[in-house]
Amino acid sequence: MLLAFDTATPLVTVALHDGEDVVVERSSAAPMKHGEQLAPLIEAVLLDRGLVRQDLTAIAVGVGPGPFTGLRVGLVTARTLALALELPVYGVCTLDVLAVEAVDTGAVREDFVVATDARRKEVYLASYDADGARTDGPQVLRPADAVTERPVVGEGAVLYPEAFPRTVGPARPSAGWLARVVAEERAELLDPEPLYLRRPDAVVNATRKPVL
Amino acid sequence: MTDAPLVLGIETSCDETGVGIVRGHTLLADAIASSVDEHARFGGVVPEVASRAHLEAMVPTIERACDTAGIALRDVDAIAVTSGPGLAGALLVGVASAKALALGLGKPLYGVNHLAAHVAVDQLEHGPLPEPCLAMLVSGGHSSLLKVEDVTTGVDPLGATIDDAAGEAFDKVARLLGLPFPGGPHIDRAAASGNSVAIDFPRGLTSRRDLERHRFDFSFSGLKTAVARWVETQQRAGATIDVHDVAASFQEAVCDVLTRKALDAARTHGIEDILIGGGVAANSRLRAMAEERAAAQGIRVRVPRPGLCTDNGAMVAALGAELVQRGRAPSALDLPADSSQPITTVVA
Ligand SMILES: [Zn+2]
């Protein structure tokens, strides 16, 4: 049983895949609560199928790009859970998951772009061919520097219609599709390393040691 | 003691990734990875840099702790983690990984208060905590006096700094004297050969009027300013500054106020044991003065060794083991990281 989750967007998404197909998928209700919601959701999907943790055989995790704080919750959870259960863990670029879903559901039939919200008026963006194979990216760009007439999948298209007039397919990645991508090796499988794409802001905390 | 609980503790509230393993009051492993060097060039802790370092260090540090302790992860009886206070993003990495361990091992999770853990750590060195005891936690971030009846249920704050923390004052005065960072150990060393009564630096919040409102509170910002002014005046007059005398006189002022207030608090509350923790507890003058003054009043002083005073995973594991032994209820899996978790919340 493959456990898949992604925390690279405001929501947490979790799914189980039995080797044939996705058997359960759940998403968090409240945005920006990755740390609080991921572990309970993992517990909930197992319970939903009457499974125990020992039934898991592998872990799939979205490695972003996405907002750092949430992204880290997913990655540290995947790595530590894999350590505790002695399981392999597979990382997948979160944009690739959106691309495969868009192709397999017939939302796109030509070269296209995936763009997600990078905040600060920027998008995380990658280009794909008609089969959903990544041809460029991911990178972080201002929408004005990435204007395209091609179809655009992902929340970035919804947020910046002036740069991306042709909005198609899913807005946010789903763990169910992440599980399919890994089970069917539809994208490059990566180490569970975060795709930050940005350097850390060097804002020093006011005091040297904020706690004891 | 073989049936004492085996607990793994995780600490990520600032720039140190700490994983400790204890069995009851016995320390088995205390693995630490620090990102302090990555922050040095910024002159302070950069939260995003610390958070990234925690993610990278977490699994290797857990593995190192298990190796040192000679245990397998599945042997662990419970997982404890600092849930606050601290840097939000840094805490979150530790809390998420603790949840993954709890979930993956099927063991209870305890999200604990960082300050209470600083108190509980002394059990690893000196055995069960006296109840009640007066805890004085002094570091670069805080200076507090706490009344501890039972470290697993309640910690009662009696006083705290109203401006700079004691450790912060050490760092700032070290910089004034051209001593390297972090200032604590360098001031301590310079003071060893200095005259502690050479300069009469002020003792913050000790006047009769201040004592009415701030009896158990501290203030070190006036002291820091007084040292700066003194150095400036000497320089203007063309006099050479005896770094040893300034360091010794400054250190004397800090230790005087700390021990005076700690003893006053202990006497006032009828407490016979004082526990000193946090990075500044490593200061040799503070230890000596506290022991000498306390002994004169029939009060006992406990100070863990320096390695256990600074932030580490062992202190979190020590508190976790105490929670398990006393049958306290664990945290839920939706436990949040709380950057301002109050000292009165021992388990979140
Ligand atoms: Zn601390």
Side-chain angles (χ1 to χ4, degrees):
Chain A
M1 191 68 60
L2 171 71
L3 168 68
F5 47 85
D6 187 286
T7 58
T9 71
L11 292 182
V12 177
T13 164
V14 181
L16 290 175
H17 190 289
D18 67 1
E20 293 289 316
D21 204 354
V22 174
V23 294
V24 56
E25 179 170 354
R26 294 255 188 112
S27 283
S28 59
M32 306 318 298
K33 295 268 181 197
H34 305 89
E36 277 130 278
Q37 300 185 104
L38 177 56
L41 276 172
I42 293 172
E43 198 176 42
V45 293
L46 286 170
L47 220 68
D48 185 274
R49 305 309 297 171
L51 298 169
V52 290
R53 60 184 191 279
Q54 291 89 345
D55 293 319
L56 297 177
T57 53
I59 296 170
V61 63
V63 299
F68 307 154
T69 306
L71 186 56
R72 270 191 291 269
V73 168
L75 284 162
V76 83
T77 301
R79 291 182 190 183
T80 316
L81 201 54
L83 176 74
L85 291 167
E86 297 177 37
L87 300 179
V89 49
Y90 304 102
V92 177
C93 170
T94 298
L95 305 185
D96 291 358
V97 175
L98 282 164
V100 170
E101 178 177 356
V103 169
D104 285 18
T105 55
V108 287
R109 299 175 191 285
E110 62 195 285
D111 290 2
F112 64 101
V113 165
V114 175
T116 59
D117 183 13
R119 299 178 185 171
R120 303 181 192 180
K121 298 185 176 155
E122 292 184 315
V123 290
Y124 294 119
L125 184 134
S127 305
Y128 295 84
D129 67 19
D131 298 324
R134 178 150 38 100
T135 54
D136 192 32
Q139 53 189 320
V140 59
L141 288 169
R142 285 182 305 173
D145 297 332
V147 176
T148 180
E149 290 304 316
R150 282 182 284 167
V152 179
V153 176
E155 202 167 21
V158 183
L159 292 169
Y160 304 103
E162 64 286 3
F164 310 119
R166 289 180 63 196
T167 305
V168 297
R172 285 178 180 169
S174 100
W177 281 97
L178 167 61
R180 287 185 189 103
V181 166
V182 170
E184 298 163 25
E185 281 199 53
R186 290 288 308 280
E188 188 188 356
L189 301 185
L190 309 165
D191 286 333
E193 291 289 341
L195 290 171
Y196 289 123
L197 306 191
R198 277 183 185 137
R199 262 190 244 279
D201 282 337
V203 179
V204 173
N205 202 66
T207 56
R208 185 178 64 85
K209 282 263 184 184
V211 293
L212 277 166
Chain B
M1 282 298 277
T2 48
D3 55 355
L6 184 67
V7 177
L8 182 143
I10 296 177
E11 152 65 32
T12 62
S13 67
C14 191
D15 58 348
E16 258 121 24
T17 312
V19 179
I21 299 173
V22 305
R23 189 181 290 285
H25 293 166
T26 307
L27 176 63
L28 301 181
D30 187 17
I32 285 192
S34 177
S35 61
V36 65
D37 294 343
E38 294 175 55
H39 304 285
R41 67 195 170 97
F42 299 107
V45 173
V46 182
E48 176 63 20
V49 171
S51 299
R52 289 185 181 194
H54 285 310
L55 170 61
E56 293 317 313
M58 187 53 68
V59 164
T61 310
I62 294 171
E63 288 178 317
R64 199 147 48 84
C66 288
D67 279 356
T68 306
I71 61 139
L73 263 181
R74 62 176 173 278
D75 300 335
V76 164
D77 295 312
I79 307 295
V81 62
T82 301
S83 55
L87 296 171
L91 288 168
L92 200 51
V93 176
V95 169
S97 92
K99 288 180 183 181
L101 284 183
L103 199 59
L105 303 169
K107 297 293 162 63
L109 169 76
Y110 293 85
V112 307
N113 189 295
H114 181 84
L115 280 72
H118 266 303
V119 175
V121 73
D122 190 56
Q123 302 190 124
L124 301 178
E125 190 135 292
H126 300 117
L129 289 177
E131 294 177 342
C133 78
L134 188 283
M136 177 164 72
L137 299 183
V138 274
S139 78
H142 277 271
S143 312
S144 346
L145 287 176
L146 313 165
K147 182 182 174 191
V148 184
E149 296 276 2
D150 171 350
V151 72
T152 67
T153 52
V155 176
D156 189 9
L158 302 178
T161 181
I162 61 167
D163 42 55
D164 292 355
E168 222 179 323
F170 271 92
D171 287 338
K172 287 176 177 170
V173 167
R175 201 178 311 153
L176 274 172
L177 297 177
L179 297 172
F181 176 90
H186 295 280
I187 296 259
D188 199 351
R189 219 167 298 142
S193 54
N195 178 0
S196 63
V197 294
I199 311 149
D200 188 18
F201 285 129
R203 271 63 170 160
L205 300 184
T206 56
S207 73
R208 184 171 301 173
R209 221 186 56 211
D210 282 335
L211 285 177
E212 279 168 23
R213 284 191 55 212
H214 292 292
R215 185 160 177 188
F216 302 131
D217 290 329
F218 301 107
S219 165
F220 296 107
S221 125
L223 170 60
K224 172 200 69 193
T225 310
V227 176
R229 274 211 204 105
W230 190 89
V231 169
E232 216 176 281
T233 309
Q234 296 294 305
Q235 278 169 338
R236 218 178 292 136
T240 49
I241 291 156
D242 188 325
V243 169
H244 301 279
D245 283 356
V246 180
S249 301
F250 158 77
Q251 180 173 278
E252 195 72 6
V254 174
C255 297
D256 181 25
V257 175
L258 288 174
T259 52
R260 227 197 278 181
K261 296 215 173 199
L263 282 164
D264 183 21
R267 262 195 326 265
T268 305
H269 291 270
I271 300 171
E272 292 175 348
D273 293 272
I274 294 178
L275 186 151
I276 308 179
V280 178
N283 183 273
S284 64
R285 183 63 186 138
L286 179 61
R287 286 174 177 238
M289 191 191 281
E291 273 160 21
E292 188 191 314
R293 290 183 178 182
Q297 301 186 28
I299 288 174
R300 291 173 293 270
V301 174
R302 292 163 52 131
V303 193
R305 65 184 145 86
L308 293 179
C309 286
T310 47
D311 291 351
N312 60 73
M315 67 190 213
V316 180
L319 179 51
E322 201 60 23
L323 290 162
V324 173
Q325 261 166 334
R326 299 203 182 200
R328 306 295 177 225
S331 308
L333 267 189
D334 63 355
L335 165 77
D338 181 357
S339 59
S340 53
Q341 184 170 333
I343 179 61
T344 44
T345 304
V346 175
V347 185

